[in-house]
């Protein structure tokens, strides 16, 4: 995988549903994986930073896991709420420099 | 207090002009960045700068140049603006490779 890829590109769920999406990235020269939440007309806001294989992070109803050996991370949202509607971005740092490469994002829409 | 601020918020200008976008952070971070949100809404890194080095994304035209008068500021200068430069530009800062904090964005429209 040459780039950071996210799937699906967009997702519509009902309020109360749990959901998850995937970030795939090159596993070589890995340094860190970031997740950001980006609401329309606002700036991206950090959710998690993970560096170690097997890392799991949790913030409220949102959690993330990291597999650096196979190059993927999952973001989970439990009991989705309309206010969770946003684009969720993952981004990868390599260990060669200070360039963060973003995926294309997963746009989540939660219907009340 | 705003952590990362950008000015102006909107910038409308003619093709061929030279313009600057200012960015300031009051977080004491050592690294600042410029991103371009392209037409497909992707965030693309343009520059990464700390007091040691400037890292440039090789795809960025040399009409774009970052200028850092001090650690708290990283301004973006754009020469000879082209229609394709129209986009939203985001500044960000971080301590080394930790969490990045983004500014509110500057929407540039080139006519």
């Amino acid at each position: 995988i040459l780039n950071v890829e996210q799937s699906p590109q967009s997702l519509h769920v009902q309020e109360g549903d749990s959901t998850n999406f995937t970030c795939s990235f090159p596993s070589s020269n890995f340094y860190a994986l970031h997740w950001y939440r980006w609401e329309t007309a606002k700036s991206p806001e950090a959710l998690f930073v993970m560096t170690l294989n097997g890392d799991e992070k949790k913030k409220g109803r949102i959690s993330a896991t990291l597999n650096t050996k196979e190059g993927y991370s999952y973001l989970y949202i439990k009991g989705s709420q309309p206010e969770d509607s946003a684009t969720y971005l993952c981004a990868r740092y390599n260990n060669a420099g200070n360039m963060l490469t973003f995926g294309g994002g997963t746009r989540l829409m939660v219907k009340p | 207090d705003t952590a990362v601020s950008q000015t102006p918020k909107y910038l409308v200008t003619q093709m061929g002009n030279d313009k600057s976008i200012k960015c300031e952070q009051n977080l004491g971070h050592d690294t600042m960045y410029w991103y371009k949100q392209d037409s497909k809404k992707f965030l693309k890194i343009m520059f990464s700068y700390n007091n040691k080095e400037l890292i440039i994304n090789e795809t960025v035209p040399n009409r774009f140049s970052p200028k850092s008068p001090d650690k708290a500021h990283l301004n973006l200068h754009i020469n000879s603006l082209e229609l394709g430069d129209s986009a939203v530009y985001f500044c960000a800062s971080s301590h080394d490779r930790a969490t990045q904090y983004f500014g509110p964005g500057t929407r540039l429209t080139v006519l």
Side-chain angles (χ1 to χ4, degrees):
Chain A
I1 298 173
L2 297 178
N3 295 314
V4 178
E5 297 173 355
Q6 292 187 245
S7 62
Q9 285 189 344
S10 64
L11 193 55
H12 293 251
V13 301
Q14 289 294 133
E15 181 175 356
D17 286 351
S18 293
T19 186
N20 65 85
F21 14 98
T22 306
C23 172
S24 303
F25 53 86
S27 55
S28 59
N29 300 315
F30 174 85
Y31 181 83
L33 194 284
H34 293 208
W35 279 100
Y36 291 83
R37 180 171 180 274
W38 194 3
E39 289 184 69
T40 302
K42 294 188 177 180
S43 308
E45 293 183 348
L47 288 172
F48 305 114
V49 175
M50 296 183 289
T51 55
L52 299 176
N53 185 45
D55 261 355
E56 292 186 25
K57 294 282 179 85
K58 186 175 181 182
K59 184 185 287 188
R61 294 179 290 99
I62 305 177
S63 59
T65 61
L66 178 66
N67 183 320
T68 61
K69 293 184 178 179
E70 296 181 45
Y72 64 84
S73 175
Y74 294 135
L75 189 79
Y76 301 91
I77 302 179
K78 185 177 179 181
S80 302
Q81 299 297 308
E83 58 264 30
D84 295 331
S85 297
T87 297
Y88 290 83
L89 298 169
C90 71
R92 173 189 177 270
Y93 264 124
N94 64 26
N95 57 19
N98 279 358
M99 301 289 268
L100 193 60
T101 302
F102 279 85
T106 292
R107 188 177 177 207
L108 174 68
M109 285 153 282
V110 182
K111 299 177 184 177
Chain B
D1 285 343
T2 304
V4 183
S5 59
Q6 293 178 230
T7 53
K9 192 170 182 180
Y10 301 96
L11 181 56
V12 181
T13 188
Q14 298 288 328
M15 251 183 6
N17 283 351
D18 302 337
K19 290 292 180 184
S20 296
I21 305 172
K22 295 185 178 181
C23 178
E24 177 181 2
Q25 55 96 2
N26 62 8
L27 298 167
H29 287 159
D30 55 16
T31 307
M32 296 183 72
Y33 312 83
W34 277 103
Y35 290 89
K36 179 181 180 180
Q37 183 186 11
D38 67 18
S39 56
K40 294 183 179 180
K41 308 295 183 186
F42 288 9
L43 267 184
K44 300 288 189 184
I45 182 73
M46 300 176 72
F47 304 101
S48 164
Y49 181 78
N50 63 24
N51 58 3
K52 299 174 187 174
E53 65 179 334
L54 169 66
I55 301 176
I56 303 170
N57 184 330
E58 61 189 15
T59 67
V60 175
N62 58 15
R63 297 180 295 104
F64 290 78
S65 59
K67 297 282 193 316
S68 181
D70 54 57
K71 282 180 65 173
H73 297 83
L74 185 67
N75 303 326
L76 182 65
H77 294 265
I78 317 170
N79 293 327
S80 302
L81 277 155
E82 299 177 358
L83 293 177
D85 297 333
S86 296
V88 181
Y89 292 85
F90 286 93
C91 175
S93 72
S94 72
H95 175 65
D96 196 17
R97 285 176 280 187
T99 299
Q100 293 197 9
Y101 293 82
F102 285 81
T106 295
R107 181 174 292 277
L108 171 65
T109 303
V110 182
L111 303 175

